[in-house]
Amino acid sequence: MPSNLRIIAAYFLLATILLAPRAFGDAPSLVGDYREIVHEEKEVSGHFVLGMMSPGQHVPSAQDMTVWIPAEEADRLCVSIRSIDGQFEAIGQYDINETETGSWPISFKPTSTHRRLYKSYRVSELALDARIGDDCNDHEAVSRVLIGWGKPTTAKSVFFVVNSGEHSGRIIVPSRDDPNDYHEFECKLIESDRKRVAFHSICAIADVSGLDISQAWFELWRFGEPIDDEILTIIFPDAGMRERQ
């Protein structure tokens, strides 16, 4: 029979193992600093769709964000913040190799050099884009994930910020039960009093239930005819986002 001291020691050892921090639950960790860029000329990405966002709540300033990390294995979360006029851009990379699936809070604080310019934008004038992959520079091998300002309460609705060149556009999404049943969501021009606009449209989907948004694509239209398109490559949560404190 082991002594009582040995039994107690064994219990302490077991408790230490069970209560120890688990690496797989690590929050996204910022790698280095955000790279902030100010474009004197109007600057936009080569792609039409520049951000997929979830409506947020409690957004006092453009600083706190919530991003959804899927179960897919990936090393990096790639986040970009772009102003509607294409002048300000901030790019950050996060290590998510040990991050558990779910929604996570992240934040961005501009440097003192660009703080005044950044704070001149309203939250609605700053587009977010989040993607995951092993290399943020490999644009063909990253997938778009959901992100939003503040604390998004659900993944039910989503909207896309688009560089449409003032042409009309629409998001095409097949039904989950019938891939040949397509739903179209037209984009609306963004109302802004800024003289320079790089992102012209917002395409909103009020309810993604029953839709296979992972198979969605964007079409650019002119004179009533599609002239170009872009596959969106989305990994989307199946249910509501699980918020972490």
Side-chain angles (χ1 to χ4, degrees):
M1 293 287 294
S3 67
N4 290 337
L5 289 178
R6 289 183 180 179
I7 294 175
I8 294 173
Y11 277 128
F12 271 114
L13 178 61
L14 180 61
T16 301
I17 294 173
L18 294 176
L19 297 177
R22 307 271 179 107
F24 62 80
D26 290 351
S29 174
L30 184 63
V31 179
D33 297 317
Y34 270 82
R35 180 165 58 95
E36 298 172 64
I37 308 165
V38 176
H39 303 282
E40 296 304 327
E41 301 294 330
K42 186 166 68 174
E43 182 74 18
V44 295
S45 167
H47 298 281
F48 300 121
V49 179
L50 300 175
M52 180 180 72
M53 302 172 63
S54 172
Q57 63 172 349
H58 310 306
V59 189
S61 64
Q63 178 175 313
D64 298 322
M65 301 166 273
T66 302
V67 63
W68 179 75
I69 304 296
E72 304 288 327
E73 292 186 3
D75 291 331
R76 287 288 186 267
L77 165 67
C78 322
V79 174
S80 68
I81 305 170
R82 296 183 178 95
S83 62
I84 191 177
D85 58 6
Q87 185 173 13
F88 181 85
E89 183 176 9
I91 301 171
Q93 294 189 28
Y94 292 81
D95 183 352
I96 58 169
N97 189 46
E98 302 293 341
T99 300
E100 190 179 38
T101 301
S103 61
W104 293 87
I106 59 175
S107 63
F108 165 72
K109 294 181 180 179
T111 61
S112 57
T113 305
H114 302 116
R115 187 171 299 141
R116 184 174 180 180
L117 172 62
Y118 185 72
K119 288 189 174 182
S120 71
Y121 298 105
R122 300 187 298 271
V123 174
S124 60
E125 296 177 321
L126 293 166
L128 298 175
D129 189 49
R131 311 187 189 209
I132 65 164
D134 294 331
D135 183 357
C136 290
N137 296 318
D138 187 355
H139 301 294
E140 301 298 324
V142 292
S143 299
R144 187 177 275 113
V145 295
L146 197 60
I147 190 170
W149 289 113
K151 298 178 179 179
T153 56
T154 177
K156 180 180 180 180
S157 60
V158 65
F159 64 92
F160 299 84
V161 182
V162 174
N163 164 33
S164 63
E166 297 185 340
H167 298 306
S168 60
R170 61 195 64 183
I171 301 289
I172 314 294
V173 190
S175 295
R176 187 173 296 177
D177 297 332
D178 183 0
N180 295 315
D181 179 19
Y182 300 108
H183 299 258
E184 298 185 4
F185 301 89
E186 292 194 17
C187 307
K188 297 182 179 179
L189 291 179
I190 296 173
E191 296 182 2
S192 174
D193 55 3
R194 292 187 178 270
K195 295 181 180 179
R196 187 170 90 168
V197 177
F199 308 151
H200 300 87
S201 304
I202 287 182
C203 320
I205 302 176
D207 188 353
V208 300
S209 302
L211 301 178
D212 187 0
I213 198 167
S214 66
Q215 301 298 316
W217 72 90
F218 170 78
E219 288 184 352
L220 189 68
W221 285 59
R222 183 172 59 188
F223 304 128
E225 296 291 336
I227 59 173
D228 212 337
D229 60 67
E230 178 186 337
I231 297 174
L232 299 183
T233 315
I234 297 170
I235 303 175
F236 204 80
D238 293 329
M241 295 178 69
R242 180 161 53 89
E243 181 182 327
R244 296 179 180 277
Q245 301 296 329

